[in-house]
Amino acid sequence: MPNQYDKEVILVVDDNIITCEVIQRNLEISGFHVFTAHSVNDAIQILSRQEIDLLITDYKMPKHSGLELIKYVRDHFQDICIIMLTGYGSINSAVAAMKEGADEYITKPFTDKELLDAVGICIQKQKEKRIDPALIYDETWARFGIVGQCQNMLEVYSKIEKTCKNDAIVLITGENGTGKELVARAIHYHHKARSIYPFIPINCPGIPATLFESELFGHVKGAFTGAVQHRKGFFQAAEKGCLFLDEISELPFELQAKMLRVLQEKEISRIGETLVKKIDVRIIAATNKNLEDLVEKGVFRQDLFFRLNVINIDIPPLRDRGNDIILLAKHFALKYAKELGKTEPAFTDKAISALKEYFWPGNVRELENLIHRSLIMNDEDIIDSVNFPDIMKFNVPYNQHLNLSLEDMSKKYVRDIVEQTGGNKAKALKILKIDRKTLLKKLK
């Protein structure tokens, strides 16, 4: 039977009738609709006929324990959030409850505020759990291979949608690890005409400067020492498809003029050959650097920059993507849990808080590696901040005090880290990766 109430529906289970009534009264005053049960069997009967958003259950009850009820709910009602009540102050019972799938626990006796705070946290979790999977996966993962639904990512999808309908040159910008190649692939594989032809990714920094021209344009036998046979370059290999020039900022300056000519004339000539060949290749370039700054410094040609910057798609850093951080974390958790033959893990509140507050210099790539490592190193089906690197456990939210200068922000960050580590300078040094002399100087 579906939930017919405007507010969230809560089921309170406790063999103590007075406790049930007190909790029910407090929750109903706050606007929730509350059912009560005094045994696990009664609770199961209610669950079978009424949709429940949140279960609050005592730990110790006659015949069947709250732990057994949690296990039953997790086996049959994945979307219900759970709060465990325990009157024993036992960390063991709380850990056992979390292992079975509880989202929160409260130790008796508790205040009205503690109860409502825990309920508020769980209701928020409930909303996150009930994000329409079709919205997430049909509109992003299933279509473009990209997980995310924040506003600035929706703008990226809109540009992909428009760009994949033409052959314009695209310049994708963004920090390392934001997913520039994913965007490039999405553009290519949603182009009706080109998607059946090759997508050739080129890592510009990975090619020695002396081999760059040969790798891109090819060469004929005898063109230089070691050229023992004819060889096609990447442009010919990508014929009718797409050539993805990753980190285009690293293209040697002496080759930039030739690249400009290729983009303008759509023709190439192999090293050692006078014959000019027409090419039909779409160009998508990417960079994690500001090309306009490089133009001002004289290390990147302005005319090449203008030629590349026909359509610009800027990918936001992970720290600016809000709840996408948790969406991605859960996506990677499910992905690697399947690979490792594990149950999909639950995220503790501390883990979620740490994930949201961290600066993410490595962006999505760093997040993926963190989740993968956490699943490998943790024997439990829980991801908690205790397994995160120290820099995350003692992280200061990056978006505070954005009006400070870089020098002042640096000083404040050092002070905050020392404060969060309880004045433990050894731990602070490990997190900050500076020597003691520098730390003392900054503190002074």
Side-chain angles (χ1 to χ4, degrees):
M1 178 178 178
N3 177 4
Q4 72 268 37
Y5 304 102
D6 293 334
K7 201 56 172 156
E8 287 81 3
V9 178
I10 300 175
L11 172 60
V12 180
V13 186
D14 197 313
D15 60 312
N16 187 313
I17 297 175
I18 295 176
T19 300
C20 264
E21 289 178 350
V22 170
I23 294 175
Q24 180 181 25
R25 183 177 66 251
N26 289 335
L27 293 175
E28 287 181 342
I29 289 173
S30 297
F32 299 103
H33 190 89
V34 183
F35 288 89
T36 60
H38 306 304
S39 70
V40 171
N41 288 335
D42 290 344
I44 291 174
Q45 288 298 315
I46 294 173
L47 288 165
S48 67
R49 63 177 186 268
Q50 172 63 51
E51 185 176 279
I52 300 295
D53 297 299
L54 172 62
L55 169 70
I56 301 176
T57 179
D58 192 20
Y59 181 79
K60 188 175 182 181
M61 291 183 289
K63 292 187 179 179
H64 301 289
S65 71
L67 213 56
E68 291 176 276
L69 178 57
I70 290 175
K71 190 174 187 309
Y72 175 84
V73 170
R74 279 291 164 258
D75 288 342
H76 296 84
F77 306 96
Q78 286 291 326
D79 287 340
I80 295 178
C81 283
I82 301 172
I83 296 176
M84 168 66 81
L85 306 177
T86 173
Y88 303 94
S90 169
I91 189 64
N92 292 331
S93 62
V95 169
M98 295 296 283
K99 285 182 178 179
E100 291 298 343
D103 297 284
E104 290 288 320
Y105 74 92
I106 309 175
T107 303
K108 294 180 179 178
F110 50 83
T111 65
D112 295 346
K113 184 179 184 304
E114 287 173 332
L115 172 67
L116 293 174
D117 284 349
V119 168
I121 290 170
C122 285
I123 292 301
Q124 181 59 38
K125 284 185 179 181
Q126 181 73 342
K127 290 177 181 177
E128 290 179 1
K129 284 183 179 181
R130 288 185 174 175
I131 293 173
D132 185 2
L135 173 64
I136 299 168
Y137 293 101
D138 287 352
E139 293 301 319
T140 59
W141 180 251
R143 288 186 66 202
F144 295 137
I146 305 169
V147 175
Q149 61 174 15
C150 66
Q151 183 57 42
N152 44 19
M153 285 304 295
L154 294 180
E155 292 171 7
V156 170
Y157 303 145
S158 176
K159 288 185 178 181
I160 293 173
E161 191 73 53
K162 294 173 182 176
T163 305
C164 66
K165 296 175 182 177
N166 54 66
D167 289 331
I169 296 175
V170 181
L171 178 63
I172 303 172
T173 53
E175 297 177 7
N176 279 331
T178 50
K180 295 187 288 294
E181 185 171 335
L182 279 179
V183 171
R185 288 181 180 274
I187 293 169
H188 172 68
Y189 289 111
H190 285 81
H191 191 292
K192 288 184 179 180
R194 295 192 183 276
S195 59
I196 61 173
Y197 295 101
F199 176 89
I200 306 291
I202 309 300
N203 179 30
C204 293
I207 302 176
T210 53
L211 298 178
F212 223 112
E213 187 173 5
S214 172
E215 292 292 312
L216 284 177
F217 309 118
H219 61 256
V220 296
K221 183 178 179 180
F224 52 83
T225 303
V228 295
Q229 60 185 5
H230 295 320
R231 182 181 177 184
K232 290 182 178 180
F234 289 128
F235 272 97
Q236 285 181 287
E239 180 67 17
K240 294 186 179 180
C242 176
L243 191 64
F244 175 54
L245 299 168
D246 196 12
E247 305 307 344
I248 188 70
S249 58
E250 305 304 313
L251 183 68
F253 189 80
E254 59 272 17
L255 275 182
Q256 291 178 21
K258 186 168 185 177
M259 176 65 74
L260 176 64
R261 180 172 178 79
V262 170
L263 298 183
Q264 290 180 161
E265 306 299 330
K266 301 187 186 303
E267 57 186 27
I268 63 168
S269 58
R270 293 186 294 182
I271 298 175
E273 186 177 50
T274 57
L275 179 65
V276 174
K277 295 182 178 180
K278 282 289 184 182
I279 55 167
D280 178 16
V281 176
R282 182 175 197 166
I283 301 297
I284 300 178
T287 180
N288 66 342
K289 295 181 179 178
N290 188 318
L291 292 186
E292 291 180 277
D293 287 348
L294 298 184
V295 169
E296 289 184 9
K297 293 176 182 177
V299 295
F300 201 86
R301 292 180 63 107
Q302 185 179 55
D303 47 7
L304 178 57
F305 167 66
F306 288 145
R307 194 70 186 88
L308 290 169
N309 197 34
V310 178
I311 296 175
N312 175 231
I313 300 179
D314 187 54
I315 307 177
L318 183 59
R319 58 186 171 273
D320 290 343
R321 291 179 56 181
N323 285 331
D324 277 3
I325 295 172
I326 307 306
L327 197 64
L328 282 158
K330 291 181 178 179
H331 167 73
F332 292 133
L334 179 60
K335 171 187 174 181
Y336 288 113
K338 287 181 178 179
E339 286 188 11
L340 297 168
K342 291 187 171 186
T343 304
E344 182 182 1
F347 286 76
T348 67
D349 290 337
K350 288 184 178 180
I352 289 177
S353 178
L355 291 172
K356 284 185 174 182
E357 291 182 356
Y358 184 50
F359 188 73
W360 295 112
N363 289 293
V364 179
R365 186 183 294 118
E366 183 183 7
L367 173 61
E368 181 174 6
N369 290 341
L370 172 73
I371 299 300
H372 193 187
R373 181 170 62 250
S374 297
L375 282 171
I376 291 173
M377 301 306 295
N378 190 5
D379 294 330
E380 310 296 340
D381 296 326
I382 292 176
I383 290 182
D384 185 71
S385 62
V386 70
N387 297 314
F388 292 171
D390 285 345
I391 187 64
M392 292 186 67
K393 284 183 275 187
F394 299 101
N395 183 58
V396 178
Y398 85 95
N399 56 352
Q400 294 182 0
H401 309 290
L402 293 181
N403 59 328
L404 295 179
S405 68
L406 181 60
E407 182 180 358
D408 289 341
M409 189 65 187
S410 173
K411 291 176 182 177
K412 185 181 186 324
Y413 186 78
V414 170
R415 289 197 301 268
D416 287 344
I417 289 294
V418 172
E419 183 180 332
Q420 287 200 27
T421 56
N424 187 326
K425 290 185 175 60
K427 187 172 287 186
L429 289 171
K430 183 179 178 182
I431 296 169
L432 295 166
K433 293 182 172 62
I434 58 177
D435 56 44
R436 181 174 290 272
K437 182 179 179 181
T438 303
L439 174 61
L440 293 175
K441 182 180 178 181
K442 286 184 177 292
L443 289 175
K444 184 179 179 180

